[in-house]
Amino acid sequence: MVHLTDANNDNLAVANAETVYEVSRADLPLSCPTPEQKLWNSHPRVYLPIEATGEALCPYCSARYRLVD
């Protein structure tokens, strides 16, 4: 069985590869790293409140998230 966050899973994006990520309401609740990213080379998952302002900043990696819809 392969876990979805497996480092060998080429279907997942590398975490923290971008500095700005655009997300939609379908991606909420927002966490960094996102479920589509590999976790083996990243930081602990943190949930980010983006609904009120439309933007969020990860306190671990400083990735910026922008709500686009």
Side-chain angles (χ1 to χ4, degrees), residues 16-48:
N16 315 119
E18 303 289 330
T19 55
V20 178
Y21 296 91
E22 292 186 343
V23 296
S24 70
R25 294 199 182 275
D27 299 317
L28 301 180
L30 176 63
S31 66
C32 184
T34 66
E36 296 81 24
Q37 297 172 336
K38 297 179 183 182
L39 296 180
W40 63 272
N41 65 344
S42 192
H43 55 71
R45 179 169 286 154
V46 59
Y47 286 89
L48 304 171

Side-chain angles (χ1 to χ4, degrees), residues 28-31 46-57 59 65 67:
L28 301 180
L30 176 63
S31 66
V46 59
Y47 286 89
L48 304 171
I50 195 170
E51 297 86 353
T53 64
E55 293 189 359
L57 178 67
Y65 291 88
L67 192 58

